[in-house]
Amino acid sequence: MSKSIITNEIRCMPAAQRIVIVGDGAMGTVCAIILASEGYGVSWWSYNPDQAQELIRNRENQRFLPGFPIPPEILITSDDKLLFHNVFLVISAVPCKFLRSVWQRLAPHLPDDLPIVSVTKGIENETLLRPTQIIEEVTGKRPLAALSGPNIAEELARRLPATSTIAGEDIGLCRQVQKILSSRLLRIYTNKDLLGVELAGATKNVIAIAAGIIDGLRAGDNAKAALLTRGLVEITRLGLAMGAEKETFAGLSGMGDLVTTCISPKGRNRCFGEYIGKGKSVAYAQGKIPGEVEGINTCRSLVELAQHHQVEMPICRAVYEIVSEGKSVMQAIADLMGRELKSENTDS
């Protein structure tokens, strides 16, 4: 199927049935597959024309989500100009590192007020902005929401039971997305705390790197349980300092996503950390993981946010020192364990 055929079909799709997926990674792939299976018209955008043609030719994302056929009714393209014709919703599934450049490219073609739902998890290094803030800064004021939760892409593609949270200030948009995505095996909850949901989704990736390091060291279940518990404390502490709601961090996008990311053998951040725990270099570990390891960049942003809001995040700082400053894993653990003794219920 040629690009010209694809774009002609896009132009003819009815407005009430069309959703655009921006991003060809694992989560973008599974979003496209799920929506198509629910009867929605789906246009799926890849930044790279060669990658788009490969997806069209193979009808499978062999790089990021192999083994799951892409339904023939999903229209795949890298054409920016025709992408947003007759569209009522956009799902942005672009890694945080590339989010700004992708939306700068697409913004000139984006209709005013077209809602965008972000599934990106991260915090931009240079600006410390969350994904929806980046999108708004680039594309202008519009309805925005974030979808987050314990959602391993491969499990969603296998149609295993799952839950997620859609968060945003526009409750109408959240309820619309809730209805669109909810199905017999996927239950969506709404949440008004966009800040907390996005912050939790970003921070858990850093804790997951630490969890992988523990797995690589074979440090045991006691250590991992302690890491998840104290990691959640750090996530919550920063969130409250920034104005998020405490309940969010005990929910699906907080504790739920943290647990999944830290225990799943498919989680990129945990797998990256496991290589580090086994003594491999950062460069080697990155090379073994398909897709973006969001926690690597996020840990730098979290260290800056923690300093700005004057909160302690020793685990996140330790991950940053290991992956960015060359600190040894054993020294980082010694420093964490050697911190001043204090009450569990204090703020630090």
Side-chain angles (χ1 to χ4, degrees), residues 96 121-125 128 199 201-206 269 293-305 316 320:
C96 194
K121 296 177 179 179
I123 300 171
E124 191 172 45
N125 285 156
L128 303 184
L199 191 62
T203 311
K204 61 90 184 181
N205 283 332
V206 179
N269 294 277
V293 182
E294 294 278 23
I296 296 174
N297 289 318
T298 301
C299 64
R300 171 185 157 190
S301 297
L302 289 178
V303 167
E304 293 187 34
L305 282 173
C316 292
Y320 171 74

Side-chain angles (χ1 to χ4, degrees), residues 31-49:
C31 285
I33 292 172
I34 288 174
L35 288 167
S37 71
E38 293 297 318
Y40 291 96
V42 176
S43 299
W44 185 20
W45 182 87
S46 173
Y47 78 100
N48 187 321

Side-chain angles (χ1 to χ4, degrees), residues 278-290:
K278 290 178 177 178
K280 304 300 183 182
S281 69
V282 170
Y284 177 89
Q286 282 184 284
K288 299 294 287 187
I289 307 297

Side-chain angles (χ1 to χ4, degrees), residues 129-140:
L129 295 178
R130 307 185 318 272
T132 58
Q133 292 177 310
I134 298 168
I135 294 171
E136 182 174 82
E137 186 171 274
V138 174
T139 70

Side-chain angles (χ1 to χ4, degrees), residues 1-12:
M1 185 181 294
S2 69
K3 187 188 300 185
S4 61
I5 295 174
I6 294 171
T7 53
N8 286 336
E9 289 179 351
I10 288 175
R11 185 179 295 163
C12 297

Side-chain angles (χ1 to χ4, degrees), residues 17 29 32 43 48 59 78 100 104 106-107 110 123-124 162 175 178 181 192 218 231 235 243 254 269 271 285 301:
Q17 296 181 344
T29 305
S43 299
N48 187 321
R59 302 311 297 187
S78 59
R100 182 175 294 274
Q104 284 174 336
L106 294 177
L110 187 68
I123 300 171
E124 191 172 45
R175 287 173 178 164
Q178 181 184 43
L181 289 176
K192 294 182 179 179
R218 297 186 178 181
I235 296 171
N269 294 277
C271 291
S301 297

Side-chain angles (χ1 to χ4, degrees), residues 31-281:
C31 285
I33 292 172
I34 288 174
L35 288 167
S37 71
E38 293 297 318
Y40 291 96
V42 176
S43 299
W44 185 20
W45 182 87
S46 173
Y47 78 100
N48 187 321
D50 292 336
Q51 172 69 0
Q53 291 302 316
E54 184 176 325
L55 292 169
I56 292 167
R57 182 171 58 254
N58 297 325
R59 302 311 297 187
E60 180 181 315
N61 194 337
Q62 296 178 345
R63 182 179 179 188
F64 295 118
L65 197 66
F68 297 95
I70 298 169
E73 59 268 27
I74 294 176
L75 307 175
I76 304 169
T77 186
S78 59
D79 190 310
D80 304 350
K81 294 180 180 179
L82 295 176
L83 183 64
F84 300 112
H85 286 199
N86 300 325
V87 171
F88 75 94
L89 181 68
V90 178
I91 295 179
S92 175
V94 180
C96 194
K97 181 179 178 180
F98 308 111
L99 191 61
R100 182 175 294 274
S101 61
V102 164
W103 281 107
Q104 284 174 336
R105 170 177 163 177
L106 294 177
H109 313 290
L110 187 68
D112 294 338
D113 299 326
L114 182 62
I116 299 176
V117 174
S118 169
V119 298
T120 300
K121 296 177 179 179
I123 300 171
E124 191 172 45
N125 285 156
E126 294 77 13
T127 65
L128 303 184
L129 295 178
R130 307 185 318 272
T132 58
Q133 292 177 310
I134 298 168
I135 294 171
E136 182 174 82
E137 186 171 274
V138 174
T139 70
K141 190 76 174 177
R142 65 183 60 250
L144 291 165
L147 183 71
S148 187
N151 299 145
I152 298 295
E154 182 179 329
E155 293 190 8
L156 293 176
R158 290 168 57 197
R159 301 296 198 274
L160 298 180
T163 55
S164 194
T165 299
I166 183 70
E169 297 175 1
D170 189 328
I171 192 63
L173 172 61
C174 290
R175 287 173 178 164
Q176 180 188 30
V177 175
Q178 181 184 43
K179 291 178 180 178
I180 289 171
L181 289 176
S182 292
S183 65
R184 186 172 59 88
L185 294 173
L186 179 60
R187 183 174 176 84
I188 309 295
Y189 291 84
T190 61
N191 191 326
K192 294 182 179 179
D193 185 16
L194 179 59
L195 165 62
V197 166
E198 286 195 291
L199 191 62
T203 311
K204 61 90 184 181
N205 283 332
V206 179
I207 305 301
I209 291 176
I213 291 173
I214 285 177
D215 289 341
L217 290 170
R218 297 186 178 181
D221 294 336
N222 290 338
K224 196 163 187 179
L227 173 77
L228 267 67
T229 305
R230 296 309 298 174
L232 185 60
V233 169
E234 291 193 18
I235 296 171
T236 306
R237 186 184 297 149
L238 178 62
L240 295 180
M242 293 179 66
E245 297 178 8
K246 186 174 183 179
E247 292 78 8
T248 298
F249 301 99
L252 291 170
S253 57
M255 182 175 66
D257 203 6
L258 176 68
V259 169
T260 295
T261 309
C262 289
I263 66 174
S264 173
K266 301 294 184 181
R268 292 190 301 271
N269 294 277
R270 194 212 61 81
C271 291
F272 168 83
E274 186 172 4
Y275 282 114
I276 300 300
K278 290 178 177 178
K280 304 300 183 182
S281 69

